[in-house]
């Protein structure tokens, strides 16, 4: 899939072939990604039916059951061979085994880069980390300086269980414009397995493209990938053309309670990062948005790639691809309820697709009155059948509703200085709505932060 997507989107240095048990890769031969120019990626895969044994020093330095070299020593020997001509390499140990939190070196692994450095290089020879470095170097047959060089390019891709791999694959297939249901995943995996059984040690782009045609997997264009993560790390971050990682810059350690930036980080900084995203993506207008973000950042992402720019956005919504170019037969106009406030000339708008109407309405009214927000009226927009989970069945309905909401507000805001926008809807609708947010008024977008005040102004968007 990486081979196919990178060539379809014209990546700067794409994978040109995939090796399986490659002849020239030593003990890092399980999967080899050969790129147009180095570094190539050499991967050792260690899958265990029972993954109770964690990855730690004992696991890496114990000789094989037959008395052969340890996993670490095998990797070190392969590294020496592959980097002999000072050619950069990217090495990876991939396993469904989990990291051992009590191991001095494995415990300092960076979850994003999957590298043990830089923290594994900290501490003197008498520290726990330093003593572990010495033991690792002795087992690998390396000097400490050589071990540092090895660890600078050796990724520990751990806890890769089957559901994790399948979810990542589904996202990657969707971004590449392929069917991404369970049957499509199984068909693709079975094709790869058959190539291995047939003795094909090198899989080329032509072979993969022919398989896509034979299996009838193609559904749309391959897309550049924009990864935005504020709640939890994104499975697609390594495959993304541009990544915005704010997981550690949001409050709390739980993905379920992260709702706003952690000081000194601010909404304004996040807005700057999101609005700069178009300049970091390769040419073309088809973009897949991945990651975990709340509604205000999703809406802002849509505005950063507005319809007037010709962009075509896509996002997976509960396993189904929603795209901004999906056609629909008729606009779907929301039901509108009006509530007088009389505190100013601005207009407040609550887009409510999922929450019981009276609950959201009262929350927003309380917030506007408590904060003395200068609004004259609150408009609450709901789907014709009322707000509930599943009120928007598919991408066509989401686009029709986004247009209906926008057109309703165009009529309602002709003389309004500003819009104050509150969202309770699927993340995909927030993205699609932002994408079509033009010919309106400057808009303040609020996030539900579950604090005493309820909401917080996140972004201001020119519209």
């Amino acid at each position: 899939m990486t081979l196919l997507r990178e060539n379809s989107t014209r990546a700067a240095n794409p994978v040109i072939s995939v090796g399986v048990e490659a002849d020239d890769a030593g003990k890092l031969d399980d999967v080899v990604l050969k790129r147009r120019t180095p570094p190539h990626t050499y991967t050792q895969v260690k899958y265990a039916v029972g993954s109770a044994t964690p990855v730690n020093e004992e696991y890496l330095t114990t000789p094989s059951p037959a008395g052969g070299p340890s996993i670490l020593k095998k990797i070190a020997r392969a590294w020496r061979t592959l980097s002999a001509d000072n050619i950069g390499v990217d090495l990876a140990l991939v396993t469904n085994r989990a990291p051992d939190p009590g191991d001095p070196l494995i415990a300092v692994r960076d979850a994003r880069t999957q590298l043990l450095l830089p923290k594994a290089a900290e501490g003197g020879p008498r520290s726990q980390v330093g003593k572990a470095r010495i033991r690792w170097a002795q087992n690998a047959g390396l000097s400490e300086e050589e071990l540092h060089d090895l660890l600078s390019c050796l990724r520990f891709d751990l806890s890769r269980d089957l559901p994790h791999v399948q979810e990542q694959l589904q996202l990657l297939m969707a971004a590449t414009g392929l069917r991404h249901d369970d049957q499509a995943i199984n068909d693709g995996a079975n094709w790869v397995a058959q190539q291995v059984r047939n003795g094909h040690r090198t899989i080329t782009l032509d072979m993969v493209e022919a398989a896509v045609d034979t299996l009838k997997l193609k559904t749309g264009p391959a897309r550049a990938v924009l990864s935005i993560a504020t709640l939890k790390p994104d499975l697609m971050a390594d495959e993304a053309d541009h990544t915005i990682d704010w997981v550690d810059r949001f409050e709390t350690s739980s993905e379920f309670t992260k709702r706003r930036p952690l000081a000194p980080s601010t909404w304004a900084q996040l807005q700057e990062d999101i609005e700069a995203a178009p300049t970091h993506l390769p040419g073309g207008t088809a973009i897949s948005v991945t990651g975990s973000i709340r509604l205000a950042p999703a809406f802002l992402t849509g505005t950063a790639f507005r319809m007037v720019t010709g962009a075509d956005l896509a996002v997976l919504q509960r396993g189904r691809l929603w795209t901004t170019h999906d056609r629909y037969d008729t606009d779907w106009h929301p039901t509108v309820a009006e509530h007088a406030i009389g505190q100013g000339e601005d207009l407040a708008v609550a887009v409510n697709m999922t929450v019981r109407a009276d609950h959201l309405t009262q929350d927003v009214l309380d917030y506007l009155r408590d904060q003395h927000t200068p609004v004259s009226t609150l408009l609450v927009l709901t789907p014709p059948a009322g707000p509930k989970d599943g009120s928007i069945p598919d991408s066509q309905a989401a686009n029709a509703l986004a247009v209906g909401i926008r057109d309703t507000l165009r009529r309602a805001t002709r003389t309004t200085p500003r819009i104050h926008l509150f969202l309770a809807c699927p993340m995909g609708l927030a993205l699609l709505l932002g994408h079509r947010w033009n010919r309106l008024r400057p808009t303040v977008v609020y996030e539900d932060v579950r604090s005493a005040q309820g909401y917080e102004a996140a972004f201001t968007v020119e519209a």
Side-chain angles (χ1 to χ4, degrees), residues 24-321:
D24 59 348
K27 292 299 181 180
L28 288 160
D29 63 348
D30 288 342
V31 180
V32 178
L33 302 185
K34 286 290 183 75
R35 297 190 174 275
R36 185 175 295 161
T37 58
H40 308 307
T41 298
Y42 299 87
T43 305
Q44 180 71 39
V45 180
K46 291 290 184 180
Y47 179 81
V49 175
S51 56
T53 304
V55 175
N56 53 23
E57 182 176 330
E58 180 182 0
Y59 172 74
L60 293 169
T61 61
T62 299
S64 72
S70 67
I71 294 172
L72 181 61
K73 182 169 288 188
K74 290 178 181 178
I75 291 174
R77 289 177 177 175
W79 168 72
R80 279 187 184 277
T81 300
L82 296 170
S83 60
D85 295 327
N86 293 319
I87 297 175
V89 292
D90 172 41
L91 311 180
L93 172 64
V94 178
T95 179
N96 59 329
R97 298 180 187 273
D100 185 347
D103 185 272
L105 292 185
I106 296 297
V108 299
R109 167 180 168 268
D110 187 314
R112 291 178 183 78
T113 65
Q114 302 175 339
L115 298 173
L116 303 189
L117 297 180
K119 290 187 177 179
E122 297 174 357
R126 295 185 178 181
S127 68
Q128 291 298 314
V129 170
K131 291 177 181 178
R133 283 198 307 266
I134 293 172
R135 293 193 298 271
W136 280 40
Q138 290 174 343
N139 182 271
L142 303 174
S143 67
E144 281 200 64
E145 182 178 357
E146 288 174 321
L147 178 67
H148 182 281
D149 291 342
L150 170 60
L151 295 183
S152 71
C153 62
L154 174 59
R155 294 181 289 108
F156 288 80
D157 190 352
L158 311 180
S159 300
R160 286 289 297 271
D161 56 16
L162 187 57
H164 174 109
V165 174
Q166 289 174 325
E167 183 180 355
Q168 184 182 30
L169 182 58
Q170 181 187 40
L171 291 166
L172 191 54
M173 292 178 78
T176 313
L178 303 187
R179 285 181 23 237
H180 47 274
D181 53 79
D182 290 345
Q183 184 61 54
I185 292 174
N186 290 335
D187 288 347
N190 289 338
W191 178 84
V192 174
Q194 188 61 53
Q195 306 316 300
V196 176
R197 287 193 293 270
N198 291 344
H200 296 305
R201 296 198 175 192
T202 300
I203 298 175
T204 65
L205 179 61
D206 288 343
M207 293 168 65
V208 176
E209 289 178 335
V212 167
D213 289 340
T214 300
L215 298 173
K216 296 180 172 57
L217 296 178
K218 193 69 175 174
T219 61
R223 298 173 178 275
V225 174
L226 171 61
S227 167
I228 307 177
T230 64
L231 308 181
K232 61 180 179 179
D234 181 16
L235 294 175
M236 284 288 286
D238 290 342
E239 298 284 350
D241 297 283
H242 182 58
T243 301
I244 299 174
D245 185 353
W246 269 61
V247 173
D248 291 338
R249 298 173 71 178
F250 261 56
E251 290 182 347
T252 83
S253 59
S254 169
E255 64 187 84
F256 301 105
T257 57
K258 288 178 181 288
R259 292 184 177 271
R260 61 182 170 190
L262 175 66
S265 299
T266 65
W267 289 114
Q269 292 170 335
L270 179 56
Q271 180 165 359
E272 183 179 345
D273 286 354
I274 291 175
E275 290 184 336
T279 65
H280 296 287
L281 292 173
T285 59
I287 299 148
S288 182
V289 179
T290 68
S292 54
I293 52 178
R294 293 203 177 274
L295 298 179
F299 178 87
L300 180 68
T301 303
T303 68
F305 296 89
R306 256 175 271 206
M307 188 176 182
V308 294
T309 68
D312 173 21
L313 298 180
V315 64
L316 269 185
Q317 184 70 44
R318 293 186 176 180
R320 304 180 71 175
L321 195 67

